[in-house]
Amino acid sequence: MEVLRPALININGRMYRRNIIKEEQYEEEEEDVSYMGPPESEDFAVEETCDAFLIEETDKGYRCAIDVPSVLYKYIIGKKGETRRRLELDTKTSINIPKPGVEGQIVITGSHKAAVSSAVTRVEVLIESFRKKQPFTHFLSFHLNDPKIQEGFLSFKDEVLLQCSQDHGVEGSIFQNPAKLHLTIGTLALLNDTEVRKACGHLQECQNFIRDITEGKPLPLEVTGIEYMNDDPAMVDILYAKVNVKDRSDKLQVIADRLVEHFVSAGLMVREWDRVKLHATVMNTLFRKDSTVEDTGGARRQTMSEREAFDARNILKKFGAYRFGEFKLNSVLLSQRYSTDCSGYYTTAGSTNFS
């Protein structure tokens, strides 16, 4: 980063300079973002507005409480408390943070309203910066684990292994768990129960437009045909089934795109593509188990960097138009990553129905 041309962040129409400060405590780099506005005097005569948070006047000055997931506290504290001390010194405020692992509010107090507002803004910029680096915890999904689709998928798996197991990289462990067949709409990093409840509420808000699109009825879907993700069918990492509405309308695509639009607007999701690419993964090399590794206590999953591609040319030739089955979809789910419910599908945190 050039000193004379620092990276800028636009937040609510105001520009902030991003200063990169190496912090040995974290794998990431801590970003100290300073407000690029009019210079402030020593007594904070220039007041910063802070519309998103309520700054209350107290007997001793001013106070503002911010809801922050506990997993993000460490980024406000910094190595040996350095980040918090610097924020307090720069803004002439006091920043009270709950104990690690205890959900609560970060409380900022100070003698001047502008000082508290400045500290709130800087804390919020830090929070949003490091929030983007958190792995996703939940995802919006259309479940495809209907018994008829599972049966079709298991027949597909058996036939592929019978006819194509001699092809490079093709073996049983890279197939999807039939109980977890799904379409991913978008991913979310929900860092505490409050954020999960907020996401569930927003999903309920989407029910009206979903029912307008489906006319208050389940959507008849058909799962037919397979496709691959990359350019070379001889070196494939992901093979997916194609899902369409039976009447060939774009209703499912429209619902998915509208859901993403709503959750992006709510600040709960980051837009990755102009349109959601709906695909039902049936084979993925990340699922591959390495039975040769003994020091982990058994088989393990491969990481992104060590995944071994498979040759899908024969699979595409023989099963390119494979028919997995049909069913009626009646819900969109907020699913929890790395979880399993009694049906074998991902644990559901929230849902809304089409009818």
Side-chain angles (χ1 to χ4, degrees):
M1 181 182 73
E2 296 184 27
V3 174
L4 298 179
R5 293 183 178 179
L8 303 178
I9 302 176
N10 186 325
I11 298 180
N12 296 327
R14 313 191 80 178
M15 300 305 297
Y16 297 83
R17 180 179 63 245
R18 173 182 290 171
N19 298 326
I20 306 298
I21 300 175
K22 189 72 175 180
E23 289 282 2
E24 297 179 359
Q25 184 175 352
Y26 312 122
E27 293 181 2
E28 306 97 338
E29 291 180 336
E30 182 180 336
E31 297 177 353
D32 175 25
V33 188
S34 305
Y35 174 50
M36 293 285 287
E40 298 179 22
S41 66
E42 284 297 312
D43 61 356
F44 294 91
V46 179
E47 179 175 324
E48 292 185 34
T49 60
C50 186
D51 298 332
F53 301 97
L54 175 64
I55 299 179
E56 303 173 309
E57 187 171 6
T58 67
D59 294 340
K60 298 181 179 179
Y62 294 87
R63 175 186 184 276
C64 184
I66 310 173
D67 290 314
V68 179
S70 61
V71 70
L72 299 179
Y73 293 165
K74 62 182 179 181
Y75 302 116
I76 309 303
I77 297 171
K79 184 180 179 181
K80 297 181 180 179
E82 291 176 2
T83 301
R84 174 164 58 180
R85 283 196 298 272
R86 185 173 68 249
L87 288 170
E88 291 177 328
L89 180 64
D90 289 350
T91 62
K92 295 181 174 61
T93 59
S94 176
I95 302 174
N96 184 269
I97 301 173
K99 294 180 180 180
V102 177
E103 295 296 338
Q105 294 181 313
I106 290 179
V107 179
I108 300 174
T109 57
S111 301
H112 301 275
K113 185 175 182 180
V116 173
S117 179
S118 176
V120 168
T121 298
R122 293 181 62 172
V123 167
E124 183 65 9
V125 169
L126 278 174
I127 290 169
E128 289 308 307
S129 176
F130 285 105
R131 175 185 286 280
K132 293 176 181 177
K133 299 180 180 181
Q134 303 303 307
F136 78 88
T137 60
H138 294 73
F139 58 101
L140 293 179
S141 73
F142 297 130
H143 70 87
L144 302 178
N145 63 343
D146 180 89
K148 295 187 288 294
I149 304 300
Q150 289 196 54
E151 182 180 351
F153 169 80
L154 289 171
S155 297
F156 168 78
K157 177 180 178 180
D158 289 342
E159 289 298 316
V160 168
L161 292 176
L162 180 65
Q163 300 183 43
C164 306
S165 60
Q166 299 304 311
D167 296 336
H168 177 77
V170 176
E171 48 99 0
S173 71
I174 66 175
F175 286 82
Q176 174 66 285
N177 178 345
K180 291 195 171 182
L181 288 167
H182 69 279
L183 297 171
T184 297
I185 302 165
T187 60
L188 308 90
L190 306 176
L191 304 182
N192 58 22
D193 291 342
T194 299
E195 295 190 351
V196 173
R197 289 193 295 270
K198 180 180 178 182
C200 290
H202 278 283
L203 184 55
Q204 287 300 314
E205 291 176 8
C206 296
Q207 188 174 73
N208 287 339
F209 77 71
I210 290 175
R211 290 185 175 180
D212 287 343
I213 295 169
T214 66
E215 299 176 348
K217 297 179 291 188
L219 276 183
L221 302 182
E222 58 181 20
V223 185
T224 302
I226 55 173
E227 194 54 83
Y228 60 102
M229 282 288 189
N230 56 310
D231 297 327
D232 185 358
M235 295 288 289
V236 171
D237 283 317
I238 298 175
L239 197 70
Y240 63 92
K242 294 183 282 188
V243 181
N244 293 291
V245 182
K246 283 194 68 177
D247 65 6
R248 296 298 169 181
S249 70
D250 62 352
K251 291 178 181 179
L252 193 65
Q253 183 69 53
V254 171
I255 291 171
D257 291 338
R258 290 281 301 274
L259 283 165
V260 169
E261 181 182 341
H262 180 94
F263 276 80
V264 168
S265 298
L268 291 170
M269 189 180 288
V270 177
R271 186 184 298 280
E272 297 183 45
W273 315 103
D274 291 337
R275 300 183 75 207
V276 178
K277 183 173 178 60
L278 292 172
H279 63 281
T281 298
V282 293
M283 299 171 71
N284 189 334
T285 56
L286 281 180
F287 299 157
R288 192 186 303 280
K289 292 179 180 176
D290 183 357
S291 59
T292 65
V293 178
E294 298 178 353
D295 60 352
T296 58
R300 68 179 177 91
R301 299 288 188 179
Q302 293 197 334
T303 62
M304 190 73 75
S305 61
E306 64 185 11
R307 65 197 299 180
E308 176 191 357
F310 64 96
D311 186 346
R313 287 175 293 183
N314 278 332
I315 300 175
L316 291 163
K317 181 179 179 180
K318 296 178 179 180
F319 303 97
Y322 185 86
R323 184 177 177 81
F324 293 87
E326 302 176 358
F327 79 109
K328 291 184 177 181
L329 180 69
N330 194 37
S331 63
V332 56
L333 309 176
L334 177 62
S335 303
Q336 183 178 331
R337 192 183 188 187
Y338 301 133
S339 68
T340 305
D341 65 13
C342 59
S343 72
Y345 193 68
Y346 300 93
T347 301
T348 298
S351 66
T352 191
N353 293 328
F354 294 1
S355 61

